[in-house]
Amino acid sequence: MTIASSDQSTAQGLVAAVTALRTAAENADGDAVADILAPDVVFHSPLSSRIRFEGADDVAALHRDVFAVLEGISTTEPLTRDDTAVFSFGGHVRGQKLDAMNMVRVNERGEIVESTIYARPLPALATLFAALPPRVTARRRGRAKGALVAALATPLGFAMRTADRFVPNFI
């Protein structure tokens, strides 16, 4: 295989993987995400740089959790270059509008090997922080630890939504 044909097959695999990921997100289908992940995939969270999710099983389970708390996901057409694509998506978490961007990298087989999410605005991201980690923790470590995480994370979401209502009036 020549370098040109290798690059072309990677580009085709990238488009196919991103199309499948966007479709899975819009249909809230975590099982479909599992089919396009490399075994050694790494997911970088927008919520904390201290945690990353590794492996197809863990990342697919995370997507099922995300799709359970993020409603009405819509995506845009991706921008692609080499083995990387970027697309934006939006949805609602507990009534808060979340806008985000996903940067995806694929391997030569067209499997997603890396995904990094960037999200805004801060009140919606804080609300996602209050909704998602308790669910993930309960799945991974049990309901009691999930409840503890909820108790720690929920005030942040409340504080950011409240500040967002009042602070702009003073700027």
Side-chain angles (χ1 to χ4, degrees):
M1 180 182 287
T2 66
I3 292 175
S5 65
S6 174
D7 290 347
Q8 185 177 17
S9 67
T10 299
Q12 290 170 342
L14 174 63
V15 170
V18 170
T19 299
L21 178 59
R22 291 176 54 226
T23 300
E26 290 175 354
N27 294 321
D29 185 354
D31 294 330
V33 172
D35 295 337
I36 56 174
L37 300 175
D40 59 346
V41 63
V42 175
F43 180 92
H44 302 278
S45 170
L47 301 177
S48 174
S49 61
R50 296 176 50 124
I51 298 173
R52 66 187 207 173
F53 297 84
E54 298 179 352
D57 291 341
D58 199 24
V59 172
L62 174 65
H63 277 83
R64 285 189 285 276
D65 290 333
V66 168
F67 298 154
V69 300
L70 196 56
E71 299 175 343
I73 298 173
S74 62
T75 66
T76 64
E77 290 294 319
L79 299 173
T80 63
R81 181 167 184 165
D82 301 325
D83 66 348
T84 304
V86 178
F87 65 93
S88 64
F89 66 93
H92 288 84
V93 58
R94 296 184 178 170
Q96 296 290 306
K97 175 72 172 120
L98 179 75
D99 297 310
M101 186 157 281
N102 192 350
M103 183 171 60
V104 175
R105 196 170 53 79
V106 299
N107 61 20
E108 63 281 350
R109 292 180 302 280
E111 299 168 325
I112 296 173
V113 294
E114 187 174 21
S115 177
T116 304
I117 304 286
Y118 304 93
R120 66 163 304 276
L122 187 54
L125 189 59
T127 302
L128 181 64
F129 188 76
L132 186 58
R135 182 180 183 88
V136 172
T137 302
R139 174 177 50 80
R140 292 171 121 191
R141 310 233 188 261
R143 293 170 58 126
K145 287 187 179 174
L148 174 61
V149 169
L152 294 171
T154 298
L156 177 63
F158 174 76
M160 293 311 309
R161 289 188 305 275
T162 302
D164 189 49
R165 282 190 200 106
F166 295 107
V167 170
N169 295 325
F170 299 106
I171 297 176

